[in-house]
Amino acid sequence: NSIWVSTDHDEIERVAKQFGAQVHRRSPEVSQDSSTSLEAIREFLNHHPEVDIVGNIQATSPCLHPSDLIKVADLIQKEGFDSVFSVVRRHQFRWSEVKKGENKMTEPQNLNPAKRYRRQDWPGELYENGSFYFAKRNLIEKGYLQGGKMAYYEMRAEHSVDIDIDIDWPIAEQRVLSFGYFGKEPLKEVKLLVCSIDGCLTNGRIYVTEDQKEMVSYDYRDIVGVDLLKKRGIQVRLLSDRDCSKTLAAIQLGCTAKVGTANKLQVLEDWKKDMGLSWKEIAYLGNEESDVECLKKAGMSGVPADACALAQKAAGYICKSSGGCGAVREFAEHIFLLLEKVNSARKQ
């Protein structure tokens, strides 16, 4: 019924609201390193008597798909379970631990060494994977996330990712590329990147000399990013509200550009039609209110870190880099990562 982010951090609150979530500000008492999720949830319920079911989704499980959550919600709302939690099936043989200095031998925990199972002959065991915990209010108020009439929900192994230590991070990134959720429609090969010039390719600042000449600055990494896109067969075109033809001539990118345009979306639609592309085959990098409609239409959309709030809300990806400081190169690398997802899906 509603989506909330529980946090005590101003930046997390800002980003959560940009993407349409509501925010519950945690108190210092439940924001300690030793605080548990249950403590934060109980505090949330104290402020929201209208809530009768809580689905706690763990941010450390980035391969969770909405279809799983819909099925779990049905287990509680339609089938009468009090709590449902996620598990994954593993085929691992467990042995007892022998601490240093103990005069003991290890013992098998879930196997007979004389009759070891082959993986394909053994059903394995169910382990909690930490992706989510759903529970009714009355159970949580008693201090439990699991209890009453319980059910587990078995997730597919490829969707079961738990980031716990540093080494888990690169593994999770590759899992997301191969098995992550990218929306209902399949990704398509990007064939065109359209980039706003001022504030994306440049930092948006205009320097004026005493003889009234304008100067702008750009980052060489962004030029490399444009070249990499071209080498991958992706056309790059540029847009600007103002006439900055001299700037483009100085940078010498060799890209088709439309400057001094009052309607970026119309230009984008004309390019789309001329090239015979679908919106899914177009990526767009913008930073201002004039880019919002283009960001909403494009199959892939991004903004620099310092883009305006409306542009950030419309974009699918927010760069860590600011405009004119590597944002184009960063967005190009983001496109390449998502294209790996396309290629992986085709191979499968």
Side-chain angles (χ1 to χ4, degrees), residues 39 48 81 119 121 137 151 155 161 211 243 250 273 327 343:
E39 290 172 335
H48 295 277
F81 287 96
R119 177 187 173 92
D121 297 331
R137 181 189 190 95
M155 290 178 59
V161 178
D211 56 354
D243 185 357
K273 183 178 179 180
N343 294 330

Side-chain angles (χ1 to χ4, degrees), residues 1-29:
N1 301 97
S2 57
I3 299 173
W4 294 78
V5 171
S6 174
T7 184
D8 66 334
H9 194 277
D10 292 340
E11 180 66 9
I12 293 175
E13 177 178 7
R14 183 183 69 81
V15 173
K17 287 181 176 179
Q18 282 179 3
F19 286 91
Q22 300 179 70
V23 174
H24 169 73
R25 289 295 299 207
R26 290 191 191 184
S27 67
E29 290 75 23

Side-chain angles (χ1 to χ4, degrees), residues 18 35 47 67 72 97 142 203 214 220 233 237 244 258 332 340:
Q18 282 179 3
S35 298
H47 290 84
S67 57
V72 172
E97 181 178 358
K142 294 175 183 177
N203 61 11
E214 293 184 359
Y220 181 71
R237 297 190 176 187
C244 53
K258 180 73 173 179
E340 285 183 27

